[in-house]
PDB file of all heavy atoms in Angstrom:
ATOM      1  N   TRP F 295      76.791 119.042  92.294  1.00  0.00           N
ATOM      2  CA  TRP F 295      75.508 119.454  92.864  1.00  0.00           C
ATOM      3  C   TRP F 295      75.021 118.379  93.830  1.00  0.00           C
ATOM      4  O   TRP F 295      75.407 117.210  93.714  1.00  0.00           O
ATOM      5  CB  TRP F 295      74.462 119.621  91.755  1.00  0.00           C
ATOM      6  CG  TRP F 295      74.692 120.790  90.852  1.00  0.00           C
ATOM      7  CD1 TRP F 295      75.805 121.584  90.805  1.00  0.00           C
ATOM      8  CD2 TRP F 295      73.804 121.282  89.852  1.00  0.00           C
ATOM      9  NE1 TRP F 295      75.661 122.536  89.839  1.00  0.00           N
ATOM     10  CE2 TRP F 295      74.439 122.383  89.237  1.00  0.00           C
ATOM     11  CE3 TRP F 295      72.540 120.903  89.409  1.00  0.00           C
ATOM     12  CZ2 TRP F 295      73.844 123.103  88.205  1.00  0.00           C
ATOM     13  CZ3 TRP F 295      71.939 121.625  88.381  1.00  0.00           C
ATOM     14  CH2 TRP F 295      72.586 122.718  87.791  1.00  0.00           C
ATOM     15  N   PRO F 296      74.158 118.775  94.755  1.00  0.00           N
ATOM     16  CA  PRO F 296      73.623 117.746  95.669  1.00  0.00           C
ATOM     17  C   PRO F 296      72.831 116.707  94.900  1.00  0.00           C
ATOM     18  O   PRO F 296      72.120 117.045  93.949  1.00  0.00           O
ATOM     19  CB  PRO F 296      72.733 118.551  96.623  1.00  0.00           C
ATOM     20  CG  PRO F 296      72.453 119.831  95.937  1.00  0.00           C
ATOM     21  CD  PRO F 296      73.608 120.113  95.040  1.00  0.00           C
ATOM     22  N   LEU F 297      72.968 115.483  95.302  1.00  0.00           N
ATOM     23  CA  LEU F 297      72.330 114.370  94.586  1.00  0.00           C
ATOM     24  C   LEU F 297      71.110 113.924  95.387  1.00  0.00           C
ATOM     25  O   LEU F 297      71.242 113.346  96.465  1.00  0.00           O
ATOM     26  CB  LEU F 297      73.341 113.238  94.470  1.00  0.00           C
ATOM     27  CG  LEU F 297      73.229 112.254  93.308  1.00  0.00           C
ATOM     28  CD1 LEU F 297      73.145 112.955  91.970  1.00  0.00           C
ATOM     29  CD2 LEU F 297      74.404 111.296  93.328  1.00  0.00           C
ATOM     30  N   PRO F 298      69.880 114.193  94.862  1.00  0.00           N
ATOM     31  CA  PRO F 298      68.680 113.760  95.597  1.00  0.00           C
ATOM     32  C   PRO F 298      68.641 112.231  95.711  1.00  0.00           C
ATOM     33  O   PRO F 298      69.175 111.527  94.862  1.00  0.00           O
ATOM     34  CB  PRO F 298      67.530 114.270  94.723  1.00  0.00           C
ATOM     35  CG  PRO F 298      68.121 115.344  93.882  1.00  0.00           C
ATOM     36  CD  PRO F 298      69.547 114.948  93.653  1.00  0.00           C
ATOM     37  N   ARG F 299      67.997 111.783  96.739  1.00  0.00           N
ATOM     38  CA  ARG F 299      67.947 110.340  97.024  1.00  0.00           C
ATOM     39  C   ARG F 299      67.424 109.536  95.833  1.00  0.00           C
ATOM     40  O   ARG F 299      67.906 108.450  95.543  1.00  0.00           O
ATOM     41  CB  ARG F 299      67.044 110.142  98.235  1.00  0.00           C
ATOM     42  CG  ARG F 299      66.990 108.743  98.768  1.00  0.00           C
ATOM     43  CD  ARG F 299      66.236 108.776 100.078  1.00  0.00           C
ATOM     44  NE  ARG F 299      66.060 107.475 100.675  1.00  0.00           N
ATOM     45  CZ  ARG F 299      65.602 107.282 101.891  1.00  0.00           C
ATOM     46  NH1 ARG F 299      65.288 108.319 102.643  1.00  0.00           N
ATOM     47  NH2 ARG F 299      65.469 106.074 102.377  1.00  0.00           N
ATOM     48  N   SER F 300      66.450 110.110  95.126  1.00  0.00           N
ATOM     49  CA  SER F 300      65.837 109.380  94.015  1.00  0.00           C
ATOM     50  C   SER F 300      66.822 109.157  92.865  1.00  0.00           C
ATOM     51  O   SER F 300      66.598 108.305  92.009  1.00  0.00           O
ATOM     52  CB  SER F 300      64.618 110.152  93.494  1.00  0.00           C
ATOM     53  OG  SER F 300      65.010 111.463  93.112  1.00  0.00           O
ATOM     54  N   GLN F 301      67.919 109.923  92.829  1.00  0.00           N
ATOM     55  CA  GLN F 301      68.876 109.785  91.725  1.00  0.00           C
ATOM     56  C   GLN F 301      70.104 108.962  92.120  1.00  0.00           C
ATOM     57  O   GLN F 301      71.040 108.843  91.335  1.00  0.00           O
ATOM     58  CB  GLN F 301      69.337 111.171  91.263  1.00  0.00           C
ATOM     59  CG  GLN F 301      68.251 111.977  90.591  1.00  0.00           C
ATOM     60  CD  GLN F 301      68.751 113.318  90.113  1.00  0.00           C
ATOM     61  OE1 GLN F 301      69.944 113.543  89.967  1.00  0.00           O
ATOM     62  NE2 GLN F 301      67.824 114.234  89.884  1.00  0.00           N
ATOM     63  N   ARG F 302      70.104 108.456  93.322  1.00  0.00           N
ATOM     64  CA  ARG F 302      71.284 107.710  93.781  1.00  0.00           C
ATOM     65  C   ARG F 302      71.099 106.225  93.476  1.00  0.00           C
ATOM     66  O   ARG F 302      70.133 105.619  93.929  1.00  0.00           O
ATOM     67  CB  ARG F 302      71.494 107.915  95.276  1.00  0.00           C
ATOM     68  CG  ARG F 302      71.619 109.391  95.651  1.00  0.00           C
ATOM     69  CD  ARG F 302      71.936 109.532  97.103  1.00  0.00           C
ATOM     70  NE  ARG F 302      71.578 110.844  97.610  1.00  0.00           N
ATOM     71  CZ  ARG F 302      71.701 111.196  98.872  1.00  0.00           C
ATOM     72  NH1 ARG F 302      72.170 110.326  99.749  1.00  0.00           N
ATOM     73  NH2 ARG F 302      71.371 112.399  99.267  1.00  0.00           N
ATOM     74  N   SER F 303      72.048 105.679  92.737  1.00  0.00           N
ATOM     75  CA  SER F 303      71.849 104.319  92.223  1.00  0.00           C
ATOM     76  C   SER F 303      72.800 103.284  92.821  1.00  0.00           C
ATOM     77  O   SER F 303      72.722 102.123  92.493  1.00  0.00           O
ATOM     78  CB  SER F 303      72.021 104.333  90.704  1.00  0.00           C
ATOM     79  OG  SER F 303      73.304 104.835  90.381  1.00  0.00           O
ATOM     80  N   TRP F 304      73.722 103.712  93.687  1.00  0.00           N
ATOM     81  CA  TRP F 304      74.701 102.758  94.206  1.00  0.00           C
ATOM     82  C   TRP F 304      74.129 101.940  95.356  1.00  0.00           C
ATOM     83  O   TRP F 304      73.634 102.486  96.337  1.00  0.00           O
ATOM     84  CB  TRP F 304      75.946 103.474  94.713  1.00  0.00           C
ATOM     85  CG  TRP F 304      76.833 104.005  93.624  1.00  0.00           C
ATOM     86  CD1 TRP F 304      76.459 104.344  92.356  1.00  0.00           C
ATOM     87  CD2 TRP F 304      78.229 104.263  93.720  1.00  0.00           C
ATOM     88  NE1 TRP F 304      77.543 104.808  91.659  1.00  0.00           N
ATOM     89  CE2 TRP F 304      78.640 104.769  92.459  1.00  0.00           C
ATOM     90  CE3 TRP F 304      79.161 104.127  94.730  1.00  0.00           C
ATOM     91  CZ2 TRP F 304      79.953 105.135  92.203  1.00  0.00           C
ATOM     92  CZ3 TRP F 304      80.472 104.500  94.475  1.00  0.00           C
ATOM     93  CH2 TRP F 304      80.862 104.986  93.227  1.00  0.00           C
ATOM     94  N   GLY F 305      74.262 100.627  95.243  1.00  0.00           N
ATOM     95  CA  GLY F 305      73.937  99.767  96.365  1.00  0.00           C
ATOM     96  C   GLY F 305      75.194  99.496  97.183  1.00  0.00           C
ATOM     97  O   GLY F 305      76.272 100.017  96.862  1.00  0.00           O
ATOM     98  N   PRO F 306      75.058  98.660  98.221  1.00  0.00           N
ATOM     99  CA  PRO F 306      76.225  98.372  99.067  1.00  0.00           C
ATOM    100  C   PRO F 306      77.401  97.784  98.290  1.00  0.00           C
ATOM    101  O   PRO F 306      78.560  98.127  98.564  1.00  0.00           O
ATOM    102  CB  PRO F 306      75.687  97.355 100.076  1.00  0.00           C
ATOM    103  CG  PRO F 306      74.217  97.571 100.085  1.00  0.00           C
ATOM    104  CD  PRO F 306      73.839  98.023  98.722  1.00  0.00           C
ATOM    105  N   PHE F 307      77.128  96.932  97.288  1.00  0.00           N
ATOM    106  CA  PHE F 307      78.244  96.319  96.565  1.00  0.00           C
ATOM    107  C   PHE F 307      79.006  97.356  95.745  1.00  0.00           C
ATOM    108  O   PHE F 307      80.244  97.310  95.659  1.00  0.00           O
ATOM    109  CB  PHE F 307      77.759  95.189  95.654  1.00  0.00           C
ATOM    110  CG  PHE F 307      78.884  94.532  94.907  1.00  0.00           C
ATOM    111  CD1 PHE F 307      79.753  93.660  95.558  1.00  0.00           C
ATOM    112  CD2 PHE F 307      79.116  94.816  93.563  1.00  0.00           C
ATOM    113  CE1 PHE F 307      80.824  93.085  94.878  1.00  0.00           C
ATOM    114  CE2 PHE F 307      80.182  94.254  92.881  1.00  0.00           C
ATOM    115  CZ  PHE F 307      81.038  93.374  93.543  1.00  0.00           C
TER     116      PHE F 307
END
Side-chain angles (χ1 to χ4, degrees):
Chain F
W295 290 10
L297 207 52
R299 186 171 178 170
S300 57
Q301 292 182 18
R302 304 185 202 177
S303 57
W304 286 25
F307 180 75

